[in-house]
Amino acid sequence: MKQPRWMLGWAVVATVLLVVSVTWPNATQGVVGALSEGWHATPALAQTAEAPAQLEWLGWLFYRLTSPKGKIILFDPALNDPQALFRNRESPLSLEDINAAHIILVTDGHADDQGMAVEIARKTGAWVVTTFELATWMVGRGVDTNKIMRAQAGSRFEIDGIKIQTVNAVHGSGAPPLPGQPAAVYGGPAMGFIVTLENGVKIYHAGSTSITLDLQLFARLYKPHVALLPIASGMFPDEAAIAAEFLMTDNPNLHSVFPTHHASYLPVDRQGAAFVKEVQARKLRREVAAFDPKPGQVFLVTATGTKPK
């Protein structure tokens, strides 16, 4: 009677294992062990376009955004590092803790705003998007000129499926002197960033902008789902709450707002709790969640809402 193919296959495998076990007895244990490990191993679950993005506040203006497909985007990465010109004292991260980054977005040249973008770019090889003037300054400090996107307000880029829209911000942009030069460097016009992830979710980082009616225009044009708004430079919490209202203009997407440019050592009227209170007090046209994150706290963001991880 003709044997099924699968039985013939198993017979061949059994014969081979028998020969190997007789000829090389130690090898048999290695093969069986490897097969056993492979059988019981659970593969890592890859992120997909349907997965939520992860948004993490890391002190001051520094937010780390991990896209649904695992791209790591750093906004104004000021670190708690002794080498930093501005030490982000409440950040849980120093330079040695940053091992991966795909895109670094720098809103202006101030030491607390650009943070350690140069050092992180040199370490990780990440792309940097910033003003034309600040990009030239960064190249002078050792950043790969081929990994910098030179921008101005209104520029658009796409990097590995992440879309980046630059917008203007009302703020300064002086950068510290380059080595051997006596004076600060003009860092170009301050900017904000609207990042569109692979699944269409849009995050607006306003940098250090003061309140401006341009926010209504950004809402109409780009319709962000989440806004990161300064509350201790450029705007105070009451103004940032008005900014949140401006960002609802013809924009049905906005569902969450977070404070930036703040710290627990600032006066209480310039802290995250004050921002949450001001947003809630304005009784916006529909519910928008306002958050007071703690350093290192992670949030899951989708097109419909945000929740702590």
Side-chain angles (χ1 to χ4, degrees):
M1 185 173 69
K2 188 176 181 179
Q3 299 295 329
R5 287 186 177 181
W6 67 267
M7 292 184 65
L8 293 174
W10 275 113
V12 171
V13 171
T15 301
V16 171
L17 286 176
L18 178 61
V19 172
V20 170
S21 66
V22 172
T23 309
W24 302 287
N26 293 334
T28 307
Q29 294 180 355
V31 170
V32 172
L35 289 172
S36 176
E37 289 179 7
W39 179 261
H40 292 290
T42 302
L45 297 177
Q47 288 188 289
T48 67
E50 292 74 35
Q54 295 189 30
L55 183 67
E56 182 180 7
W57 182 57
L58 294 163
W60 212 239
L61 285 104
F62 183 15
Y63 275 84
R64 176 164 56 190
L65 175 64
T66 304
S67 80
K69 291 191 175 181
K71 300 300 180 185
I72 300 172
I73 303 148
L74 308 181
F75 295 96
D76 284 355
L79 300 173
N80 191 354
D81 194 286
Q83 303 176 66
L85 290 178
F86 168 81
R87 188 162 185 173
N88 183 5
R89 289 186 283 161
E90 292 191 320
S91 178
L93 301 182
S94 66
L95 183 60
E96 68 178 14
D97 298 314
I98 303 289
N99 297 313
H102 296 95
I103 303 170
I104 305 170
L105 304 177
V106 179
T107 60
D108 67 72
H110 291 172
D112 62 321
D113 295 347
Q114 64 165 295
M116 299 188 77
V118 167
E119 291 81 359
I120 295 170
R122 290 198 307 235
K123 181 178 180 180
T124 65
W127 285 94
V128 179
V129 182
T130 191
T131 69
F132 184 92
E133 293 83 357
L134 195 56
T136 300
W137 179 88
M138 288 183 172
V139 170
R141 295 192 59 209
V143 176
D144 184 352
T145 187
N146 296 313
K147 296 299 292 284
I148 287 189
M149 298 288 193
R150 294 162 171 81
Q152 59 187 352
S155 296
R156 294 181 181 181
F157 305 98
E158 183 167 346
I159 303 172
D160 294 334
I162 306 297
K163 296 178 181 177
I164 301 163
Q165 172 72 55
T166 63
V167 296
N168 61 289
V170 184
H171 194 62
S173 188
L178 286 170
Q181 295 186 357
V185 177
Y186 173 57
M191 297 190 302
F193 296 96
I194 298 171
V195 173
T196 304
L197 302 178
E198 303 97 339
N199 59 1
V201 171
K202 299 179 180 183
I203 314 292
Y204 169 43
H205 191 295
S208 299
T209 192
S210 61
I211 192 164
T212 168
L213 286 172
D214 290 345
L215 294 161
Q216 295 182 350
L217 184 61
F218 303 159
R220 287 193 174 105
L221 284 174
Y222 310 120
K223 302 187 184 332
H225 296 84
V226 177
L228 315 176
L229 302 169
I231 64 168
S233 176
M235 290 188 275
F236 290 97
D238 58 337
E239 296 168 320
I242 297 171
E245 188 168 24
F246 284 174
L247 288 167
M248 298 176 71
T249 306
D250 296 336
N251 175 19
N253 291 343
L254 189 74
H255 59 64
S256 303
V257 290
F258 288 80
T260 72
H261 214 302
H262 73 111
S264 65
Y265 51 80
L266 294 176
V268 292
D269 63 345
R270 282 178 274 172
Q271 293 185 21
F275 169 68
V276 171
K277 183 178 178 181
E278 290 288 350
V279 171
Q280 294 172 344
R282 289 202 67 77
K283 296 182 169 49
L284 303 179
R285 297 187 294 278
R286 64 176 186 280
E287 184 177 357
V288 172
F291 293 91
D292 177 18
K294 302 300 180 259
Q297 188 174 7
V298 179
F299 296 82
L300 302 178
V301 179
T302 66
T304 57
T306 301
K307 63 180 182 180
K309 184 175 180 180

